[in-house]
Amino acid sequence: MAEIINGKELAQKIRLGLKGEVTELKNNGIIPKLAVIMVGDDKASKVYVRNKSKACEEIGVEFEEFLLDDTTTMEQLLNLIDELNNRNDIHGILLQSPIPKHLDINLAFNKIDYRKDVDGFHPINVGKLSIGEDCFISCTPFGVVKMLEEYNIDIQGKNVVIIGRSNIVGKPLIQCMLKKNGTVTVCHSKTQNIKEITKNADILIAALGKAKFVTADMVKDGAVIIDVGINRNDDGKLVGDVDFENVEKKASYITPVPGGVGPMTIAMLMTNVVKAAKNLEK
Ligand code: NAP
């Protein structure tokens, strides 16, 4: 039976540490502040934004929300980002996705000052990550790395298989795992014989968004299983990309959904906001 990687507990520990760092910053006259832009009326986004605001409140980070309606033009969105880039009281800017289809999200991400890009989506941060320079790392991959570190799971020399190659999860994970000297293989929707690949994984990271896609027969005995997926099953219950009940019996470590990668993502966002505020101090 696998050991469960408790993301909820770990995230709480990280937030507690950050609370102390925020107090220190405040003593030096810096009040860290996160600005969140939401365009349109996406229900899931509202929940995510509420969770982020709660996390900010808990550690003493100020939070300002900018709600734009779904008729907002690209020019209006870019102007708002510009305004926030120029505000000295704001250290982190986050544009909640998705945004309405008529808007170009990449153009908007590129407009955010990379020094305030706490989501790590700006091309400068993406580039810096790939050449190993200090940068903001996309929060979910950053959370995965942190989990493995905290559970003393060695990545060096291990076969790391990532399922999914999105810009926000899969691709930055490639760089993170390479940096830790993992031997990285990436699978995607066009990959053939995926089971033959996943069965070789010492560390298998599922980030594709398909409920219970990873079944026990796809997993090597003793593998470490990280489940990034968040899906709803027919009963409306949250499930990951991994068939937890059966895979748990074969794995050495496994993350649950909920309570695994999800809370870590928010903790790493808070880590990035505090880092942005500290950068200002330098
Ligand atoms: P995404 O942009 O839809 O990307 C999904 C990736 O999975 C794509 O690269 C796609 O391949 C690949 N894929 C889809 N079907 C596949 C299949 N049958 N076999 C192999 N690969 C397949 O998704 P995302 O934004 O990366 O998110 C992935 C999952 O993580 C979602 O469930 C999302 O809700 C969750 N998520 C969780 C957190 C968290 O905090 N826990 C944060 C972000 C995302 P192609 O590139 O070929 O299309």
Side-chain angles (χ1 to χ4, degrees):
M1 228 30 169
E3 180 173 342
I4 311 286
I5 298 181
N6 191 335
K8 201 173 163 189
E9 203 175 85
L10 192 52
Q12 202 171 9
K13 186 177 121 182
I14 292 169
R15 289 199 304 270
L16 198 69
L18 289 172
K19 206 172 171 174
E21 290 184 45
V22 170
T23 307
E24 231 171 86
L25 277 167
K26 285 182 174 171
N27 289 341
N28 292 334
I30 297 169
I31 305 168
K33 186 169 191 170
L34 173 67
V36 172
I37 307 170
M38 216 166 79
V39 193
D41 201 27
D42 185 75
K43 276 203 185 80
S45 292
K46 279 185 180 167
V47 176
Y48 293 140
V49 170
R50 199 180 322 128
N51 288 341
K52 287 167 189 173
S53 114
K54 274 195 215 157
C56 283
E57 195 183 343
E58 188 191 331
I59 66 165
V61 165
E62 287 197 353
F63 180 87
E64 195 170 336
E65 208 174 348
F66 296 84
L67 302 174
L68 305 179
D69 66 45
D70 51 18
T71 60
T72 301
T73 63
M74 199 62 216
E75 194 188 356
Q76 285 168 325
L77 178 59
L78 294 179
N79 284 342
L80 172 62
I81 294 172
D82 221 12
E83 192 187 302
L84 300 178
N85 282 341
N86 290 320
R87 268 179 60 179
N88 291 335
D89 63 322
I90 286 176
H91 305 94
I93 303 171
L94 185 154
L95 172 62
Q96 184 65 44
S97 68
I99 61 175
K101 295 239 173 332
H102 69 277
L103 300 170
D104 181 342
I105 197 154
N106 286 328
L107 199 61
F109 284 147
N110 294 1
K111 185 75 176 173
I112 296 173
D113 184 330
Y114 76 94
R115 292 162 299 188
K116 297 189 178 188
D117 170 39
V118 287
D119 252 342
F121 295 162
H122 191 285
I124 291 183
N125 283 314
V126 174
K128 279 174 174 275
L129 177 65
S130 79
I131 57 171
E133 281 187 11
D134 182 51
C135 62
F136 290 112
I137 305 173
S138 175
C139 303
T140 302
F142 193 11
V144 170
V145 171
K146 195 78 187 161
M147 277 178 144
L148 294 172
E149 276 176 6
E150 290 283 330
Y151 277 76
N152 295 317
I153 296 167
D154 200 14
I155 302 169
Q156 179 150 314
K158 298 285 162 57
N159 285 336
V160 181
V161 174
I162 302 165
I163 313 178
R165 57 171 167 179
S166 69
N167 289 343
I168 65 165
V169 186
K171 282 184 191 150
L173 264 172
I174 299 171
Q175 299 303 339
C176 292
M177 293 298 128
L178 269 181
K179 194 173 179 199
K180 294 272 185 185
N181 297 321
T183 303
V184 182
T185 309
V186 187
C187 302
H188 46 76
S189 68
K190 307 292 184 291
T191 300
Q192 297 188 353
N193 302 323
I194 201 162
K195 185 172 145 183
E196 296 313 311
I197 300 168
T198 58
K199 277 183 82 166
N200 275 324
D202 299 308
I203 300 173
L204 176 59
I205 309 175
L208 69 156
K210 298 253 182 309
K212 299 190 178 191
F213 179 88
V214 175
T215 47
D217 59 327
M218 293 171 75
V219 170
K220 179 164 97 171
D221 276 324
V224 174
I225 309 293
I226 305 291
D227 191 351
V228 177
I230 301 177
N231 314 285
R232 290 219 179 257
N233 69 8
D234 296 340
D235 313 327
K237 215 179 124 196
L238 280 189
V239 290
D241 287 347
V242 175
D243 176 8
F244 184 89
E245 287 75 20
N246 294 308
V247 172
E248 183 194 17
K249 293 172 193 152
K250 278 182 98 176
S252 56
Y253 290 89
I254 190 165
T255 63
V257 176
V261 176
M264 288 300 289
T265 297
I266 296 190
M268 301 328 283
L269 171 66
M270 295 301 113
T271 303
N272 281 347
V273 175
V274 171
K275 177 184 167 85
K278 279 187 175 168
N279 284 348
L280 182 86
E281 209 181 19
K282 281 175 195 163

